[in-house]
Amino acid sequence: MRRSKRLVSEINVTPFVDVMMVLLIIFMVTAPMMTEGLDVDLPETRAVDTLPTETDNMILTIRKDGALFLDEYAVSDADLQDKLQMLVKAQNKQLFLRADKDVPYGLVVNVMGQVRAAGIERLGVIALHEEDQNRSQRR
């Protein structure tokens, strides 16, 4: 009796699944650490609503040194109006202004004028609630 040797053509997927699970866990742990924000010391106010979480909004940030950012991307003062028309007005997005509390009032008014000149009529302002500010100072 002669036995024929047959090749096993099955793939063992267990090691593949193990590797995928490890990679998934690594990405789940490291993804929240990869987000970067701009360091802005927001002013305090008593009545603040939470910022909408939809993707149909953009944030215009003015840092303490006067640098402008549209979301996380730096924008020059000369290009601000064109970028606002292209990225906010044309795409019908809501714009929020976030300025450091040490930014001169004149600069904030100048930026708000450029927002208005770009054709954006509604502008939200981001601030911290007084209780949130007090909690963050205690830490």
Short mmCIF file of all heavy atoms in Angstrom, two decimals, residues 66-135:
data_model
loop_
_atom_site.label_atom_id
_atom_site.label_comp_id
_atom_site.label_asym_id
_atom_site.label_seq_id
_atom_site.Cartn_x
_atom_site.Cartn_y
_atom_site.Cartn_z
N GLY A 66 0.26 86.87 18.50
CA GLY A 66 -0.42 87.46 17.34
C GLY A 66 -0.51 86.54 16.14
O GLY A 66 -1.06 86.91 15.11
N ALA A 67 0.03 85.32 16.25
CA ALA A 67 -0.02 84.38 15.14
C ALA A 67 -1.46 83.89 14.93
O ALA A 67 -2.18 83.65 15.90
CB ALA A 67 0.90 83.19 15.41
N LEU A 68 -1.86 83.75 13.66
CA LEU A 68 -3.21 83.31 13.31
C LEU A 68 -3.16 81.87 12.81
O LEU A 68 -2.27 81.50 12.06
CB LEU A 68 -3.79 84.21 12.22
CG LEU A 68 -3.95 85.68 12.55
CD1 LEU A 68 -4.38 86.45 11.31
CD2 LEU A 68 -4.96 85.87 13.66
N PHE A 69 -4.16 81.09 13.22
CA PHE A 69 -4.27 79.70 12.80
C PHE A 69 -5.72 79.43 12.42
O PHE A 69 -6.63 79.79 13.17
CB PHE A 69 -3.85 78.74 13.92
CG PHE A 69 -2.39 78.77 14.22
CD1 PHE A 69 -1.87 79.70 15.11
CD2 PHE A 69 -1.54 77.88 13.63
CE1 PHE A 69 -0.52 79.74 15.39
CE2 PHE A 69 -0.18 77.90 13.91
CZ PHE A 69 0.33 78.83 14.79
N LEU A 70 -5.93 78.81 11.28
CA LEU A 70 -7.25 78.35 10.87
C LEU A 70 -7.23 76.84 11.07
O LEU A 70 -6.54 76.12 10.36
CB LEU A 70 -7.52 78.72 9.43
CG LEU A 70 -8.96 78.64 8.95
CD1 LEU A 70 -9.88 79.46 9.86
CD2 LEU A 70 -9.09 79.13 7.53
N ASP A 71 -7.97 76.38 12.07
CA ASP A 71 -7.83 75.05 12.66
C ASP A 71 -6.38 74.94 13.14
O ASP A 71 -5.98 75.73 13.96
CB ASP A 71 -8.24 73.94 11.70
CG ASP A 71 -9.77 73.75 11.71
OD1 ASP A 71 -10.43 74.27 12.62
OD2 ASP A 71 -10.30 73.09 10.81
N GLU A 72 -5.56 74.02 12.65
CA GLU A 72 -4.18 73.92 13.13
C GLU A 72 -3.17 74.48 12.14
O GLU A 72 -1.97 74.37 12.35
CB GLU A 72 -3.81 72.45 13.40
CG GLU A 72 -4.48 71.86 14.61
CD GLU A 72 -5.86 71.31 14.28
OE1 GLU A 72 -6.07 70.88 13.13
OE2 GLU A 72 -6.72 71.33 15.16
N TYR A 73 -3.65 75.11 11.07
CA TYR A 73 -2.75 75.58 10.02
C TYR A 73 -2.51 77.08 10.13
O TYR A 73 -3.45 77.86 10.21
CB TYR A 73 -3.33 75.22 8.64
CG TYR A 73 -3.58 73.75 8.50
CD1 TYR A 73 -4.87 73.22 8.59
CD2 TYR A 73 -2.52 72.86 8.32
CE1 TYR A 73 -5.08 71.86 8.49
CE2 TYR A 73 -2.73 71.51 8.21
CZ TYR A 73 -4.02 71.01 8.29
OH TYR A 73 -4.23 69.66 8.19
N ALA A 74 -1.25 77.47 10.10
CA ALA A 74 -0.88 78.88 10.20
C ALA A 74 -1.37 79.64 8.98
O ALA A 74 -1.30 79.15 7.85
CB ALA A 74 0.63 79.02 10.33
N VAL A 75 -1.88 80.85 9.23
CA VAL A 75 -2.38 81.72 8.16
C VAL A 75 -1.80 83.10 8.40
O VAL A 75 -1.79 83.60 9.53
CB VAL A 75 -3.93 81.79 8.20
CG1 VAL A 75 -4.45 82.73 7.13
CG2 VAL A 75 -4.54 80.43 8.06
N SER A 76 -1.32 83.73 7.33
CA SER A 76 -0.80 85.09 7.48
C SER A 76 -1.97 86.07 7.48
O SER A 76 -3.06 85.77 6.99
CB SER A 76 0.17 85.42 6.35
OG SER A 76 -0.53 85.50 5.12
N ASP A 77 -1.73 87.24 8.02
CA ASP A 77 -2.76 88.27 8.09
C ASP A 77 -3.23 88.66 6.69
O ASP A 77 -4.41 88.92 6.46
CB ASP A 77 -2.22 89.49 8.84
CG ASP A 77 -3.31 90.47 9.22
OD1 ASP A 77 -4.39 90.02 9.62
OD2 ASP A 77 -3.07 91.69 9.09
N ALA A 78 -2.31 88.67 5.72
CA ALA A 78 -2.65 89.06 4.35
C ALA A 78 -3.51 88.00 3.65
O ALA A 78 -4.36 88.34 2.82
CB ALA A 78 -1.37 89.30 3.55
N ASP A 79 -3.31 86.74 3.98
CA ASP A 79 -4.05 85.65 3.33
C ASP A 79 -5.33 85.27 4.06
O ASP A 79 -6.09 84.44 3.56
CB ASP A 79 -3.18 84.40 3.23
CG ASP A 79 -1.99 84.58 2.31
OD1 ASP A 79 -2.06 85.47 1.44
OD2 ASP A 79 -1.01 83.84 2.47
N LEU A 80 -5.58 85.86 5.22
CA LEU A 80 -6.69 85.42 6.06
C LEU A 80 -8.03 85.54 5.34
O LEU A 80 -8.82 84.60 5.32
CB LEU A 80 -6.72 86.21 7.37
CG LEU A 80 -7.86 85.87 8.32
CD1 LEU A 80 -7.76 84.41 8.75
CD2 LEU A 80 -7.85 86.78 9.52
N GLN A 81 -8.29 86.67 4.73
CA GLN A 81 -9.59 86.89 4.11
C GLN A 81 -9.84 85.90 2.96
O GLN A 81 -10.92 85.34 2.84
CB GLN A 81 -9.69 88.33 3.60
CG GLN A 81 -11.07 88.76 3.23
CD GLN A 81 -11.16 90.25 2.98
OE1 GLN A 81 -10.34 91.00 3.46
NE2 GLN A 81 -12.15 90.65 2.23
N ASP A 82 -8.82 85.66 2.13
CA ASP A 82 -8.97 84.71 1.03
C ASP A 82 -9.21 83.30 1.54
O ASP A 82 -10.04 82.56 1.01
CB ASP A 82 -7.73 84.73 0.13
CG ASP A 82 -7.57 86.04 -0.60
OD1 ASP A 82 -8.59 86.72 -0.84
OD2 ASP A 82 -6.41 86.40 -0.92
N LYS A 83 -8.46 82.90 2.58
CA LYS A 83 -8.61 81.55 3.15
C LYS A 83 -10.00 81.38 3.76
O LYS A 83 -10.61 80.32 3.64
CB LYS A 83 -7.54 81.28 4.22
CG LYS A 83 -6.13 81.26 3.69
CD LYS A 83 -5.84 80.02 2.92
CE LYS A 83 -4.37 80.02 2.53
NZ LYS A 83 -4.03 78.93 1.67
N LEU A 84 -10.50 82.43 4.43
CA LEU A 84 -11.83 82.35 5.03
C LEU A 84 -12.90 82.19 3.96
O LEU A 84 -13.83 81.42 4.12
CB LEU A 84 -12.10 83.59 5.88
CG LEU A 84 -11.33 83.69 7.19
CD1 LEU A 84 -11.57 85.04 7.85
CD2 LEU A 84 -11.71 82.57 8.13
N GLN A 85 -12.77 82.94 2.86
CA GLN A 85 -13.75 82.81 1.79
C GLN A 85 -13.71 81.42 1.17
O GLN A 85 -14.75 80.83 0.89
CB GLN A 85 -13.50 83.87 0.71
CG GLN A 85 -13.90 85.26 1.13
CD GLN A 85 -13.55 86.31 0.09
OE1 GLN A 85 -12.73 86.08 -0.79
NE2 GLN A 85 -14.17 87.48 0.21
N MET A 86 -12.52 80.89 0.98
CA MET A 86 -12.37 79.60 0.32
C MET A 86 -12.76 78.43 1.24
O MET A 86 -13.45 77.51 0.81
CB MET A 86 -10.91 79.43 -0.15
CG MET A 86 -10.64 78.15 -0.89
SD MET A 86 -8.96 78.06 -1.54
CE MET A 86 -7.98 78.30 -0.08
N LEU A 87 -12.32 78.46 2.49
CA LEU A 87 -12.49 77.31 3.37
C LEU A 87 -13.74 77.37 4.24
O LEU A 87 -14.24 76.33 4.67
CB LEU A 87 -11.26 77.14 4.26
CG LEU A 87 -9.95 76.87 3.53
CD1 LEU A 87 -8.79 76.90 4.51
CD2 LEU A 87 -10.01 75.55 2.81
N VAL A 88 -14.23 78.57 4.54
CA VAL A 88 -15.38 78.68 5.44
C VAL A 88 -16.63 79.09 4.67
O VAL A 88 -17.64 78.40 4.69
CB VAL A 88 -15.08 79.68 6.58
CG1 VAL A 88 -16.28 79.81 7.50
CG2 VAL A 88 -13.87 79.23 7.37
N LYS A 89 -16.57 80.22 4.00
CA LYS A 89 -17.74 80.75 3.31
C LYS A 89 -18.18 79.84 2.17
O LYS A 89 -19.36 79.50 2.06
CB LYS A 89 -17.42 82.16 2.77
CG LYS A 89 -18.54 82.83 2.02
CD LYS A 89 -19.61 83.28 2.95
CE LYS A 89 -20.63 84.10 2.16
NZ LYS A 89 -21.85 84.28 2.88
N ALA A 90 -17.26 79.42 1.31
CA ALA A 90 -17.62 78.59 0.16
C ALA A 90 -18.14 77.21 0.58
O ALA A 90 -18.97 76.63 -0.10
CB ALA A 90 -16.42 78.44 -0.77
N GLN A 91 -17.67 76.70 1.70
CA GLN A 91 -18.09 75.38 2.16
C GLN A 91 -19.21 75.45 3.19
O GLN A 91 -19.59 74.45 3.78
CB GLN A 91 -16.89 74.62 2.72
CG GLN A 91 -15.84 74.34 1.67
CD GLN A 91 -14.65 73.58 2.24
OE1 GLN A 91 -14.70 73.05 3.34
NE2 GLN A 91 -13.57 73.54 1.47
N ASN A 92 -19.71 76.68 3.43
CA ASN A 92 -20.83 76.91 4.35
C ASN A 92 -20.57 76.32 5.74
O ASN A 92 -21.39 75.59 6.29
CB ASN A 92 -22.13 76.37 3.76
CG ASN A 92 -23.34 76.96 4.43
OD1 ASN A 92 -23.28 78.06 4.98
ND2 ASN A 92 -24.45 76.25 4.39
N LYS A 93 -19.41 76.63 6.29
CA LYS A 93 -19.04 76.15 7.62
C LYS A 93 -19.25 77.26 8.65
O LYS A 93 -19.21 78.44 8.33
CB LYS A 93 -17.58 75.70 7.65
CG LYS A 93 -17.32 74.45 6.83
CD LYS A 93 -15.93 73.95 7.04
CE LYS A 93 -15.72 72.65 6.31
NZ LYS A 93 -14.44 72.05 6.62
N GLN A 94 -19.44 76.87 9.88
CA GLN A 94 -19.54 77.81 11.00
C GLN A 94 -18.13 78.14 11.46
O GLN A 94 -17.28 77.26 11.56
CB GLN A 94 -20.34 77.17 12.14
CG GLN A 94 -20.38 77.98 13.42
CD GLN A 94 -21.28 79.19 13.34
OE1 GLN A 94 -22.27 79.17 12.65
NE2 GLN A 94 -20.93 80.24 14.04
N LEU A 95 -17.86 79.40 11.77
CA LEU A 95 -16.53 79.83 12.21
C LEU A 95 -16.58 80.23 13.67
O LEU A 95 -17.50 80.94 14.10
CB LEU A 95 -16.04 81.00 11.36
CG LEU A 95 -14.63 81.49 11.67
CD1 LEU A 95 -13.59 80.42 11.31
CD2 LEU A 95 -14.33 82.77 10.92
N PHE A 96 -15.59 79.76 14.43
CA PHE A 96 -15.45 80.12 15.84
C PHE A 96 -14.12 80.83 16.02
O PHE A 96 -13.11 80.43 15.44
CB PHE A 96 -15.52 78.88 16.74
CG PHE A 96 -16.88 78.25 16.77
CD1 PHE A 96 -17.19 77.22 15.92
CD2 PHE A 96 -17.84 78.71 17.64
CE1 PHE A 96 -18.44 76.63 15.94
CE2 PHE A 96 -19.10 78.15 17.68
CZ PHE A 96 -19.40 77.11 16.81
N LEU A 97 -14.10 81.86 16.85
CA LEU A 97 -12.90 82.63 17.14
C LEU A 97 -12.43 82.26 18.54
O LEU A 97 -13.19 82.31 19.50
CB LEU A 97 -13.17 84.13 17.06
CG LEU A 97 -12.01 85.05 17.39
CD1 LEU A 97 -10.89 84.89 16.37
CD2 LEU A 97 -12.47 86.49 17.43
N ARG A 98 -11.14 81.89 18.63
CA ARG A 98 -10.52 81.56 19.92
C ARG A 98 -9.28 82.42 20.03
O ARG A 98 -8.35 82.29 19.25
CB ARG A 98 -10.18 80.08 19.95
CG ARG A 98 -9.49 79.64 21.22
CD ARG A 98 -9.29 78.17 21.25
NE ARG A 98 -8.30 77.77 20.24
CZ ARG A 98 -7.89 76.52 20.09
NH1 ARG A 98 -8.39 75.56 20.82
NH2 ARG A 98 -6.99 76.22 19.18
N ALA A 99 -9.27 83.33 20.98
CA ALA A 99 -8.14 84.24 21.15
C ALA A 99 -7.61 84.15 22.58
O ALA A 99 -8.38 84.02 23.53
CB ALA A 99 -8.56 85.67 20.84
N ASP A 100 -6.31 84.22 22.70
CA ASP A 100 -5.68 84.25 24.02
C ASP A 100 -6.14 85.51 24.75
O ASP A 100 -6.36 86.55 24.13
CB ASP A 100 -4.16 84.27 23.85
CG ASP A 100 -3.44 83.97 25.14
OD1 ASP A 100 -3.34 84.88 25.99
OD2 ASP A 100 -2.98 82.84 25.30
N LYS A 101 -6.30 85.41 26.06
CA LYS A 101 -6.81 86.56 26.80
C LYS A 101 -5.82 87.73 26.83
O LYS A 101 -6.20 88.84 27.11
CB LYS A 101 -7.20 86.16 28.23
CG LYS A 101 -6.05 85.75 29.12
CD LYS A 101 -6.56 85.36 30.48
CE LYS A 101 -5.44 84.98 31.40
NZ LYS A 101 -5.93 84.60 32.73
N ASP A 102 -4.55 87.49 26.49
CA ASP A 102 -3.55 88.56 26.49
C ASP A 102 -3.37 89.20 25.11
O ASP A 102 -2.52 90.08 24.95
CB ASP A 102 -2.20 88.01 26.97
CG ASP A 102 -2.26 87.56 28.42
OD1 ASP A 102 -3.02 88.17 29.20
OD2 ASP A 102 -1.55 86.60 28.78
N VAL A 103 -4.17 88.80 24.12
CA VAL A 103 -4.09 89.40 22.79
C VAL A 103 -4.70 90.80 22.86
O VAL A 103 -5.76 90.99 23.45
CB VAL A 103 -4.85 88.53 21.75
CG1 VAL A 103 -4.95 89.24 20.42
CG2 VAL A 103 -4.18 87.20 21.60
N PRO A 104 -4.04 91.79 22.28
CA PRO A 104 -4.61 93.15 22.30
C PRO A 104 -5.98 93.21 21.63
O PRO A 104 -6.22 92.55 20.61
CB PRO A 104 -3.59 93.97 21.50
CG PRO A 104 -2.33 93.18 21.52
CD PRO A 104 -2.73 91.75 21.63
N TYR A 105 -6.86 93.99 22.20
CA TYR A 105 -8.23 94.12 21.72
C TYR A 105 -8.27 94.57 20.26
O TYR A 105 -9.08 94.10 19.48
CB TYR A 105 -8.99 95.10 22.62
CG TYR A 105 -10.42 95.31 22.24
CD1 TYR A 105 -11.36 94.30 22.42
CD2 TYR A 105 -10.85 96.51 21.71
CE1 TYR A 105 -12.67 94.48 22.08
CE2 TYR A 105 -12.16 96.71 21.37
CZ TYR A 105 -13.07 95.69 21.56
OH TYR A 105 -14.39 95.88 21.21
N GLY A 106 -7.36 95.46 19.89
CA GLY A 106 -7.32 95.96 18.52
C GLY A 106 -7.07 94.86 17.51
O GLY A 106 -7.63 94.86 16.41
N LEU A 107 -6.23 93.90 17.85
CA LEU A 107 -5.94 92.78 16.95
C LEU A 107 -7.17 91.91 16.78
O LEU A 107 -7.49 91.47 15.67
CB LEU A 107 -4.76 91.96 17.47
CG LEU A 107 -4.36 90.75 16.64
CD1 LEU A 107 -3.98 91.16 15.22
CD2 LEU A 107 -3.21 90.01 17.30
N VAL A 108 -7.88 91.66 17.87
CA VAL A 108 -9.10 90.85 17.79
C VAL A 108 -10.15 91.55 16.92
O VAL A 108 -10.78 90.92 16.06
CB VAL A 108 -9.67 90.55 19.20
CG1 VAL A 108 -11.00 89.83 19.12
CG2 VAL A 108 -8.67 89.75 20.02
N VAL A 109 -10.30 92.85 17.09
CA VAL A 109 -11.27 93.60 16.29
C VAL A 109 -10.85 93.60 14.82
O VAL A 109 -11.70 93.47 13.92
CB VAL A 109 -11.41 95.04 16.83
CG1 VAL A 109 -12.21 95.90 15.88
CG2 VAL A 109 -12.04 95.01 18.21
N ASN A 110 -9.54 93.72 14.54
CA ASN A 110 -9.05 93.68 13.17
C ASN A 110 -9.38 92.33 12.52
O ASN A 110 -9.85 92.27 11.38
CB ASN A 110 -7.55 93.93 13.14
CG ASN A 110 -6.97 93.89 11.75
OD1 ASN A 110 -7.64 94.18 10.77
ND2 ASN A 110 -5.71 93.51 11.65
N VAL A 111 -9.15 91.24 13.23
CA VAL A 111 -9.45 89.91 12.71
C VAL A 111 -10.96 89.75 12.49
O VAL A 111 -11.40 89.21 11.47
CB VAL A 111 -8.89 88.81 13.64
CG1 VAL A 111 -9.41 87.44 13.26
CG2 VAL A 111 -7.38 88.83 13.62
N MET A 112 -11.76 90.24 13.42
CA MET A 112 -13.21 90.16 13.27
C MET A 112 -13.67 90.97 12.05
O MET A 112 -14.60 90.56 11.34
CB MET A 112 -13.90 90.64 14.54
CG MET A 112 -13.72 89.69 15.70
SD MET A 112 -14.37 90.31 17.27
CE MET A 112 -16.11 90.14 17.01
N GLY A 113 -13.01 92.09 11.77
CA GLY A 113 -13.32 92.87 10.58
C GLY A 113 -13.00 92.10 9.31
O GLY A 113 -13.75 92.16 8.33
N GLN A 114 -11.89 91.37 9.31
CA GLN A 114 -11.53 90.56 8.15
C GLN A 114 -12.52 89.40 7.96
O GLN A 114 -12.84 89.03 6.82
CB GLN A 114 -10.11 90.02 8.28
CG GLN A 114 -9.05 91.09 8.15
CD GLN A 114 -7.66 90.50 8.11
OE1 GLN A 114 -7.47 89.39 7.61
NE2 GLN A 114 -6.69 91.23 8.63
N VAL A 115 -13.00 88.85 9.06
CA VAL A 115 -14.00 87.79 8.97
C VAL A 115 -15.26 88.34 8.34
O VAL A 115 -15.85 87.73 7.44
CB VAL A 115 -14.29 87.20 10.38
CG1 VAL A 115 -15.53 86.33 10.37
CG2 VAL A 115 -13.09 86.43 10.91
N ARG A 116 -15.67 89.50 8.76
CA ARG A 116 -16.87 90.15 8.21
C ARG A 116 -16.67 90.49 6.74
O ARG A 116 -17.57 90.32 5.92
CB ARG A 116 -17.19 91.40 9.03
CG ARG A 116 -18.43 92.08 8.64
CD ARG A 116 -19.60 91.32 9.15
NE ARG A 116 -20.77 92.18 9.07
CZ ARG A 116 -21.97 91.76 9.25
NH1 ARG A 116 -22.16 90.50 9.54
NH2 ARG A 116 -22.97 92.56 9.15
N ALA A 117 -15.49 90.98 6.38
CA ALA A 117 -15.19 91.34 4.98
C ALA A 117 -15.16 90.09 4.09
O ALA A 117 -15.39 90.20 2.88
CB ALA A 117 -13.85 92.07 4.90
N ALA A 118 -14.89 88.95 4.66
CA ALA A 118 -14.89 87.70 3.88
C ALA A 118 -16.31 87.21 3.61
O ALA A 118 -16.50 86.23 2.90
CB ALA A 118 -14.10 86.63 4.61
N GLY A 119 -17.30 87.90 4.17
CA GLY A 119 -18.69 87.52 3.92
C GLY A 119 -19.28 86.59 4.95
O GLY A 119 -20.36 86.05 4.76
N ILE A 120 -18.57 86.39 6.06
CA ILE A 120 -19.06 85.51 7.13
C ILE A 120 -19.82 86.37 8.13
O ILE A 120 -19.26 87.28 8.74
CB ILE A 120 -17.89 84.77 7.80
CG1 ILE A 120 -17.17 83.93 6.76
CG2 ILE A 120 -18.39 83.92 8.96
CD1 ILE A 120 -15.86 83.37 7.22
N GLU A 121 -21.11 86.08 8.26
CA GLU A 121 -21.96 86.91 9.12
C GLU A 121 -22.08 86.38 10.53
O GLU A 121 -22.34 87.14 11.46
CB GLU A 121 -23.34 87.05 8.48
CG GLU A 121 -23.28 87.77 7.14
CD GLU A 121 -24.64 87.90 6.50
OE1 GLU A 121 -25.65 87.63 7.18
OE2 GLU A 121 -24.68 88.26 5.32
N ARG A 122 -21.92 85.08 10.71
CA ARG A 122 -22.05 84.49 12.04
C ARG A 122 -20.68 84.04 12.52
O ARG A 122 -20.00 83.28 11.85
CB ARG A 122 -23.00 83.30 12.01
CG ARG A 122 -24.42 83.73 11.65
CD ARG A 122 -25.36 82.57 11.71
NE ARG A 122 -25.45 82.09 13.08
CZ ARG A 122 -25.78 80.85 13.39
NH1 ARG A 122 -26.04 79.97 12.46
NH2 ARG A 122 -25.84 80.47 14.65
N LEU A 123 -20.28 84.51 13.70
CA LEU A 123 -18.99 84.18 14.28
C LEU A 123 -19.20 83.83 15.74
O LEU A 123 -19.69 84.64 16.53
CB LEU A 123 -18.02 85.37 14.16
CG LEU A 123 -16.65 85.22 14.81
CD1 LEU A 123 -15.85 84.15 14.07
CD2 LEU A 123 -15.92 86.54 14.79
N GLY A 124 -18.82 82.61 16.10
CA GLY A 124 -18.88 82.19 17.50
C GLY A 124 -17.57 82.51 18.19
O GLY A 124 -16.52 82.54 17.56
N VAL A 125 -17.64 82.77 19.48
CA VAL A 125 -16.45 83.07 20.27
C VAL A 125 -16.29 81.99 21.33
O VAL A 125 -17.25 81.64 22.02
CB VAL A 125 -16.56 84.46 20.93
CG1 VAL A 125 -15.33 84.75 21.77
CG2 VAL A 125 -16.74 85.54 19.87
N ILE A 126 -15.08 81.47 21.45
CA ILE A 126 -14.80 80.40 22.40
C ILE A 126 -14.17 80.99 23.65
O ILE A 126 -13.23 81.78 23.58
CB ILE A 126 -13.85 79.35 21.79
CG1 ILE A 126 -14.49 78.73 20.54
CG2 ILE A 126 -13.50 78.27 22.81
CD1 ILE A 126 -13.57 77.79 19.81
N ALA A 127 -14.69 80.60 24.80
CA ALA A 127 -14.15 81.04 26.09
C ALA A 127 -14.30 79.89 27.08
O ALA A 127 -15.01 78.92 26.82
CB ALA A 127 -14.90 82.27 26.60
N LEU A 128 -13.61 79.98 28.19
CA LEU A 128 -13.72 78.97 29.25
C LEU A 128 -14.78 79.41 30.26
O LEU A 128 -14.92 80.60 30.55
CB LEU A 128 -12.40 78.82 29.99
CG LEU A 128 -11.30 78.04 29.30
CD1 LEU A 128 -10.07 77.99 30.19
CD2 LEU A 128 -11.73 76.65 28.96
N HIS A 129 -15.50 78.45 30.79
CA HIS A 129 -16.41 78.72 31.89
C HIS A 129 -15.57 78.97 33.13
O HIS A 129 -14.53 78.33 33.32
CB HIS A 129 -17.35 77.53 32.09
CG HIS A 129 -18.54 77.85 32.93
ND1 HIS A 129 -18.51 77.81 34.28
CD2 HIS A 129 -19.79 78.23 32.59
CE1 HIS A 129 -19.69 78.14 34.77
NE2 HIS A 129 -20.49 78.40 33.76
N GLU A 130 -15.97 79.88 34.00
CA GLU A 130 -15.16 80.23 35.18
C GLU A 130 -14.84 79.03 36.04
O GLU A 130 -13.75 78.90 36.56
CB GLU A 130 -15.88 81.30 36.01
CG GLU A 130 -15.83 82.66 35.39
CD GLU A 130 -16.54 83.72 36.24
OE1 GLU A 130 -17.33 83.34 37.13
OE2 GLU A 130 -16.30 84.89 36.00
N GLU A 131 -15.78 78.10 36.21
CA GLU A 131 -15.54 76.92 37.03
C GLU A 131 -14.47 76.03 36.40
O GLU A 131 -13.63 75.48 37.10
CB GLU A 131 -16.83 76.13 37.22
CG GLU A 131 -17.86 76.88 38.04
CD GLU A 131 -19.20 76.15 38.05
OE1 GLU A 131 -19.29 75.05 37.47
OE2 GLU A 131 -20.14 76.68 38.64
N ASP A 132 -14.50 75.88 35.05
CA ASP A 132 -13.48 75.08 34.37
C ASP A 132 -12.10 75.70 34.54
O ASP A 132 -11.12 75.01 34.71
CB ASP A 132 -13.81 74.95 32.88
CG ASP A 132 -15.09 74.16 32.64
OD1 ASP A 132 -15.48 73.41 33.56
OD2 ASP A 132 -15.67 74.31 31.56
N GLN A 133 -12.03 77.03 34.47
CA GLN A 133 -10.76 77.74 34.63
C GLN A 133 -10.21 77.53 36.03
O GLN A 133 -9.03 77.29 36.22
CB GLN A 133 -10.95 79.24 34.34
CG GLN A 133 -9.70 80.06 34.48
CD GLN A 133 -8.71 79.81 33.37
OE1 GLN A 133 -9.01 79.25 32.33
NE2 GLN A 133 -7.48 80.20 33.60
N ASN A 134 -11.08 77.61 37.04
CA ASN A 134 -10.63 77.42 38.42
C ASN A 134 -10.15 76.00 38.65
O ASN A 134 -9.17 75.78 39.36
CB ASN A 134 -11.78 77.75 39.39
CG ASN A 134 -12.11 79.24 39.38
OD1 ASN A 134 -11.29 80.07 39.00
ND2 ASN A 134 -13.34 79.56 39.75
N ARG A 135 -10.82 75.00 38.05
CA ARG A 135 -10.38 73.62 38.19
C ARG A 135 -9.02 73.40 37.56
O ARG A 135 -8.17 72.71 38.12
CB ARG A 135 -11.39 72.67 37.53
CG ARG A 135 -12.52 72.31 38.43
CD ARG A 135 -13.36 71.23 37.79
NE ARG A 135 -14.74 71.65 37.93
CZ ARG A 135 -15.65 71.62 36.99
NH1 ARG A 135 -15.38 71.14 35.81
NH2 ARG A 135 -16.87 72.03 37.21
#
